Amino acid sequence: MSAERAFSSVRVRSLAESQAVAVQVRLPGGSRMELTPGQASITGRMLAEGTHRRTWRQIAEESESLGMAISAFGGLETIGVSIDALARDWERALEWAAELVLESAFPQDRFEWLVEQNSAELQSMADQPEIKTGWEFLEQLYHPHPRSRPVQGTLEGLARLDREACDGFWRQSLSKGAVVTIAGGVGSEDRVQARAEALFGRRTRGHPDERVALPRGSDEAFREVSIAGADQAHFYAGHLTIPRADPDLPALQISSVILGSGSVLSGRIPQRVREREGLAYAATADAVAGAGLDPGRLVVYLGTAPESLQQAESCVRQEIDRLVSRGVSGREVEEARSYLIGREPFRRETAHQWAELLAAAELYGEPVDQPEWSRNRWLAASRDSVETAVRKHLHPSRLKITVGLPS
Amino acid sequence: MSLFVPPTIRTEQLSNGLQVCLVERRQAPVVATALCYRTGTLDEPPGQEGVAHFLEHMMFRGSHQFADGEVDRLTQALGGSNNADTSHDCTTYFFSFARDRWATALEIEADRMAGLLLEPAVIETERAIILEEVKMNQDDPWDALEEEVMAALYGDHPYGRPILGNPRSLITMNRSALREFQTKRYRPENAVLTIAGDVGPEAFDEAERFFAEIPRAEHASCRSLGQVEAIGNRRVERRQGGVARLLCAVPGPALREREYPAMRLLAAMLGAGRASRLHRVLVEELRSCAFVSVDTTETLGAGALLVAAEVIPDVQPERVERRLMEELAGASSGGFDEEELARAKSVLVADWVLGHEQAQAIALAIATAGALMDVGLPARHLEKIRSCSLAEVERVAARYLRPDNPRVIGWSLPEGGRN
């Protein structure tokens, strides 16, 4: 049985010189809305496992014969399908996306295999010391919110899942509306828009049902994870900050670049910990990591020698303290702002990036696809507003720390 | 609508021998540069393993015009990004900026090519950072396994050495070793600069402005590819983590060899996409692996075909290995069909188009190709891939995948003996 025709919103961007096309269909209802850990991940991935017209193998053979790359996914906020293809195949890609998202069949056999694969992937990820430690850190910060666990779920959750629960999750997600975005060398936007609306239905998108547990975090200020056979220690420090919709976001993004979220090593944390003191190879910091519908987080990550851990932690605490108590210089704000504005064209280079931006614009109700909108927000953030946002949202005394130590 | 249009590359050579390439791309208002030196781990003197990579780090730590930390500070303040990569064959530095400020990249590159400082105190700090990088790689099960498999495959040849070096050589690395390597190898005539993006022929003038004064070396430095001694069948086994990982390496053609494009196709037919042969058998039919991937190395000298697989917990690794060997043996005696070939061609062509939409990706591909062979290599390989016959692929499979050919089988098995 096919699902009922979904509500949809369609956004198209024609890119004159592009030889590629990206089609994305996103349904609100990622892991933040799931009832069982892993439900969103499996549901999303099941979209490429068979429709009422094609088996998984036909989907694979026919799409690969066109060089199409299909990715069916279940993320934190949405599930859906992303197709990257050559521009000449835009219509086929759109038809495929519609078939996968609207006519998914959820075959039992494929469900069972996908659960097994997902479980194996989780176990594989747990072999990466920084990931294993990072999971504990998320739990420490976000408990009992779904972000406190891996988006892929947990072994226990996956073992409890059944096909019907995933089928139901898909139907529920579909009922909240589909966000369809198409970008690339597609020629006439009107023609593509019309074709997409014919496939997905021209209706107003519904509102996601909000029933998400609030993140509280655990009471522990320090957590230690044992990593068998490792050489390095993995250090995470931070706390929850603000969601994407918070008006302080642009100011906090500027402070984040000053702290170390830029694309190079010029932030205060990487400069101090890596470049000056030589304590780590990997040293990153972000004040709004993962900010979306739910709060993002301040997170500092270091991969360091176990014997350097104390010194590294002390550096991190001092730098965060310094940021909050002594503020930022005018030059730092200017350069961080210039960095953020300067990176905007790089978010619009490929068809895939455009499709993602258009989807974000629709899902968050923000015109992020228009460079001027972001630029003006950063230009409006003064040194004072950056310091105010830092004092309001960054709290050295509330830092939670997770350390992965070789056992 | 045509399948795809290969990039148009314009090249000029400065009087000091620096080759400059331009790829105009007007899709976004950005410009990327890649400066690729024909030097890497391959050129390291005995006892100085890791010097090429160490020098790569030092290139960000101070030159005449840009004090320690300035390259990153300026890059960030201008909204750019930068990084570098050392391989066995070459070392590449890359920047991306908005189109109105991209020439800063050339100013930095020229200054550090001619005026690198190599301050002793900074060398000490960087040594500590690289030692942490070595540990980080050892903690990653795939990186650690690959290092051992490559050492077994290439023996004493530099391709068998870890690019980062080893703790022993890193601890003794000194300023004079770094300086000697840099003076000898970081020459304009030993490099290819590619500028890609929203920029026209004025890019050549900018290259001339910044690099023309740097003299070429008085004596040309030569490099030897060395000889890879024939290996027998070898096994590598280590224990790490909770999942079994298999990496099988089979000697294959080098990038410059005529058979290379057919080998790429063979790799795609075996392991690119869910419909590929090994994925279908090991992942979908036997359900014994979470994933399988097949790739070719892109090396100047002896190449290799690499098959990587991650085993589902509780499946016996021996079962996976046995079936993989059967499949490789089967592939060596043909049995592919035209449909598989056509599918692999589509996947590789689309991979190229989708993987090179960004100016940075195209700059890197052209600069690397120019340093290793010539800038027309990617387009020629793609053309060859598109015209390759089934018989050509089967000939390559018969030559390289024969069961009696030597190969390295590497396992990273779970600690505590699970699987």
Side-chain angles (χ1 to χ4, degrees):
Chain A
M1 185 195 96
S2 293
E4 62 277 17
R5 180 60 60 90
F7 309 142
S8 64
S9 65
V10 176
R11 290 195 182 207
V12 183
R13 175 74 59 143
S14 178
L15 306 172
E17 301 215 358
S18 177
Q19 300 183 54
V21 65
V23 176
Q24 295 192 5
V25 184
R26 290 173 181 269
L27 310 178
S31 62
R32 68 189 293 278
M33 306 294 288
E34 69 191 4
L35 299 175
T36 310
Q39 188 176 20
S41 173
I42 295 293
T43 303
R45 292 176 66 174
M46 279 298 290
L47 298 178
E49 296 300 323
T51 67
H52 293 288
R53 285 189 262 171
R54 274 175 260 251
T55 64
W56 77 267
R57 189 161 170 174
Q58 287 169 314
I59 292 169
E61 288 180 349
E62 290 174 32
S63 61
E64 286 165 22
S65 70
L66 294 169
M68 277 183 192
I70 295 181
S71 163
F73 60 87
L76 181 66
E77 295 178 354
T78 58
I79 62 169
V81 166
S82 168
I83 301 181
D84 295 307
L86 297 178
R88 57 155 199 197
D89 294 322
W90 71 264
E91 192 164 12
R92 199 95 65 102
L94 196 51
E95 289 165 356
W96 274 85
E99 181 184 332
L100 297 180
V101 170
L102 302 177
E103 299 176 43
S104 198
F106 285 79
Q108 176 68 31
D109 178 51
R110 298 304 295 172
F111 167 81
E112 287 167 9
W113 173 226
L114 208 50
V115 166
E116 203 173 339
Q117 263 184 311
N118 223 42
S119 304
E121 285 164 16
L122 272 175
Q123 291 174 76
S124 171
M125 289 164 78
D127 283 349
Q128 310 279 340
E130 75 281 12
I131 293 180
K132 188 176 176 181
T133 312
W135 284 345
E136 286 290 333
F137 179 64
L138 287 176
E139 213 282 328
Q140 205 179 353
L141 259 55
Y142 282 92
H143 177 84
H145 184 276
R147 190 66 194 98
S148 64
R149 57 183 183 248
V151 172
Q152 295 85 349
T154 60
L155 293 179
E156 298 74 23
L158 289 167
R160 287 205 312 272
L161 264 185
D162 60 36
R163 192 204 76 88
E164 285 68 30
C166 291
D167 184 292
F169 193 76
W170 164 62
R171 287 170 194 280
Q172 195 184 15
S173 301
L174 205 50
S175 73
K176 293 173 197 154
V179 173
V180 183
T181 56
I182 306 113
V186 295
S188 158
E189 289 182 356
D190 290 344
R191 189 167 57 120
V192 179
Q193 181 93 20
R195 185 73 186 113
E197 284 173 358
L199 286 164
F200 287 91
R202 188 177 190 174
R203 304 280 293 275
T204 308
R205 185 162 66 90
H207 292 287
D209 167 16
E210 297 288 342
R211 293 165 303 158
V212 184
L214 288 173
R216 279 200 320 270
S218 75
D219 296 332
E220 303 158 273
F222 179 82
R223 196 177 275 197
E224 192 175 305
V225 184
S226 176
I227 312 281
D231 285 327
Q232 272 198 316
H234 298 269
F235 171 91
Y236 286 86
H239 58 66
L240 294 184
T241 53
I242 55 174
R244 186 179 175 121
D246 193 296
D248 288 336
L249 186 79
L252 214 52
Q253 283 173 321
I254 289 173
S255 76
S256 184
V257 173
I258 293 169
L259 206 54
S261 64
S263 61
V264 289
L265 297 165
S266 66
R268 288 186 182 187
I269 298 273
Q271 270 298 310
R272 170 84 186 272
V273 176
R274 176 180 154 142
E275 302 290 270
R276 201 141 34 108
E277 311 225 2
L279 297 172
Y281 172 74
T284 59
D286 194 333
V288 283
L293 296 173
D294 303 305
R297 55 200 173 272
L298 165 69
V299 54
V300 177
Y301 166 72
L302 311 173
T304 187
E307 60 274 18
S308 305
L309 200 53
Q310 211 171 356
Q311 190 186 348
E313 180 181 338
S314 162
C315 291
V316 168
R317 286 189 181 278
Q318 284 169 20
E319 288 304 328
I320 295 173
D321 263 335
R322 184 163 73 94
L323 184 71
V324 175
S325 60
R326 292 166 58 188
V328 293
S329 71
R331 176 176 152 172
E332 282 181 310
V333 171
E334 199 51 53
E335 289 186 354
R337 188 192 284 131
S338 168
Y339 168 76
L340 289 164
I341 292 170
R343 293 317 293 165
E344 278 297 291
F346 295 95
R347 297 172 68 199
R348 294 166 172 74
E349 269 196 280
T350 70
H352 187 93
Q353 287 174 318
W354 267 108
E356 288 205 328
L357 270 180
L358 295 171
E362 184 65 29
L363 287 162
Y364 296 115
E366 295 173 340
V368 285
D369 52 322
Q370 297 167 22
E372 285 306 307
W373 182 78
S374 299
R375 181 188 164 87
N376 290 339
R377 276 165 44 112
W378 288 316
L379 285 173
S382 64
R383 180 180 166 189
D384 276 353
S385 63
V386 171
E387 290 183 338
T388 305
V390 163
R391 283 195 300 271
K392 187 172 165 191
H393 300 294
L394 303 188
H395 307 286
S397 62
R398 293 189 207 161
L399 282 185
K400 290 186 175 177
I401 291 177
T402 309
V403 174
L405 278 175
S407 60
Chain B
M1 197 181 284
S2 64
L3 192 61
F4 84 108
V5 183
T8 303
I9 307 162
R10 300 173 59 179
T11 66
E12 285 187 9
Q13 192 158 40
L14 304 190
S15 57
N16 59 14
L18 178 69
Q19 189 181 359
V20 184
C21 312
L22 170 66
V23 183
E24 285 189 52
R25 283 264 179 120
R26 306 290 182 177
Q27 201 167 311
V30 301
V31 177
T33 63
L35 180 63
C36 186
Y37 292 95
R38 291 184 188 93
T39 193
T41 311
L42 185 66
D43 307 301
E44 292 172 346
Q48 292 176 13
E49 292 83 6
V51 65
H53 173 258
F54 204 127
L55 184 61
E56 177 224 291
H57 275 231
M58 292 305 296
M59 290 283 278
F60 291 85
R61 305 298 305 256
S63 56
H64 286 158
Q65 302 293 324
F66 300 94
D68 183 20
E70 270 301 286
V71 171
D72 278 346
R73 193 199 63 77
L74 189 60
T75 301
Q76 179 154 302
L78 293 175
S81 69
N82 69 47
N83 212 332
D85 177 63
T86 305
S87 75
H88 286 93
D89 293 323
C90 58
T91 308
T92 314
Y93 298 85
F94 43 100
F95 284 90
S96 61
F97 285 110
R99 68 177 164 203
D100 59 348
R101 61 195 75 172
W102 71 271
T104 303
L106 301 193
E107 192 180 355
I108 294 169
E109 293 294 16
D111 192 60
R112 61 189 181 179
M113 182 191 283
L116 191 64
L117 293 180
L118 297 174
E119 299 277 11
V122 179
I123 291 174
E124 290 313 311
T125 311
E126 209 56 52
R127 188 193 318 278
I129 294 169
I130 295 169
L131 286 168
E132 283 307 313
E133 191 180 359
V134 171
K135 284 190 212 160
M136 188 180 78
N137 269 30
Q138 285 303 310
D139 281 358
D140 181 294
W142 274 116
D143 286 346
L145 177 61
E146 185 180 347
E147 193 175 306
E148 289 196 24
V149 167
M150 289 312 191
L153 182 68
Y154 290 112
D156 291 333
H157 188 275
Y159 284 171
R161 290 185 206 148
I163 287 164
L164 302 188
N166 57 65
R168 202 175 54 253
S169 62
L170 290 170
I171 284 164
T172 56
M173 191 70 65
N174 57 36
R175 187 171 190 263
S176 67
L178 290 160
R179 179 63 81 200
E180 191 185 339
F181 194 87
Q182 188 240 345
T183 308
K184 215 164 162 183
R185 305 286 174 184
Y186 279 44
R187 315 298 317 173
E189 74 278 12
N190 201 34
V192 177
L193 169 68
T194 298
I195 301 154
D198 193 1
V199 63
E202 67 274 17
F204 291 115
D205 301 332
E206 294 288 358
E208 176 83 27
R209 178 157 76 99
F210 289 109
F211 288 93
E213 297 300 312
I214 302 174
R216 63 164 69 221
E218 285 174 20
H219 305 288
S221 64
C222 54
R223 67 191 318 209
S224 161
L225 283 182
Q227 285 291 317
V228 178
E229 288 183 21
I231 59 161
N233 283 321
R234 293 185 190 179
R235 292 188 74 83
V236 165
E237 200 172 297
R238 61 196 319 279
R239 294 210 169 255
Q240 188 170 12
V243 169
R245 297 172 172 88
L246 168 67
L247 182 62
C248 172
V250 179
L255 201 54
R256 66 175 187 280
E257 290 179 57
R258 206 167 40 83
E259 290 170 318
Y260 186 81
M263 192 63 156
R264 284 284 307 279
L265 266 172
L266 175 63
M269 288 159 82
L270 288 173
R274 297 205 298 171
S276 64
R277 193 174 275 205
L278 290 179
H279 180 95
R280 211 178 56 226
V281 172
L282 293 173
V283 178
E284 305 296 350
E285 289 172 17
L286 284 183
R287 297 192 171 180
S288 55
C289 293
F291 80 83
V292 176
S293 73
V294 184
D295 212 347
T296 53
T297 59
E298 295 183 356
T299 48
L300 207 49
L305 180 88
L306 302 174
V307 183
E310 217 161 75
V311 180
I312 294 284
D314 300 326
V315 169
Q316 290 299 313
E318 302 79 20
R319 189 172 155 221
V320 172
E321 182 180 329
R322 198 165 47 243
R323 189 55 192 262
L324 173 63
M325 292 308 128
E326 285 168 12
E327 287 300 322
L328 293 181
S332 77
S333 50
F336 290 103
D337 61 39
E338 291 289 349
E339 211 173 299
E340 284 176 289
L341 177 69
R343 207 161 44 229
K345 287 181 179 181
S346 294
V347 167
L348 289 179
V349 170
D351 270 0
W352 167 265
V353 174
L354 299 173
H356 293 84
E357 278 194 277
Q358 288 174 303
Q360 187 74 86
I362 197 81
L364 279 169
I366 302 303
T368 310
L372 292 178
M373 295 272 292
D374 65 87
V375 295
L377 186 73
R380 277 205 314 282
H381 272 181
L382 271 176
E383 266 320 297
K384 183 61 198 163
I385 281 167
R386 291 171 70 182
S387 64
C388 208
S389 69
L390 193 57
E392 285 174 282
V393 176
E394 289 187 335
R395 265 200 301 277
V396 167
R399 176 169 174 197
Y400 290 101
L401 300 184
R402 281 170 35 173
D404 54 345
N405 273 5
R407 61 192 51 168
V408 177
I409 294 170
W411 277 107
S412 174
L413 295 168
E415 286 163 315
R418 226 188 64 200
N419 260 104

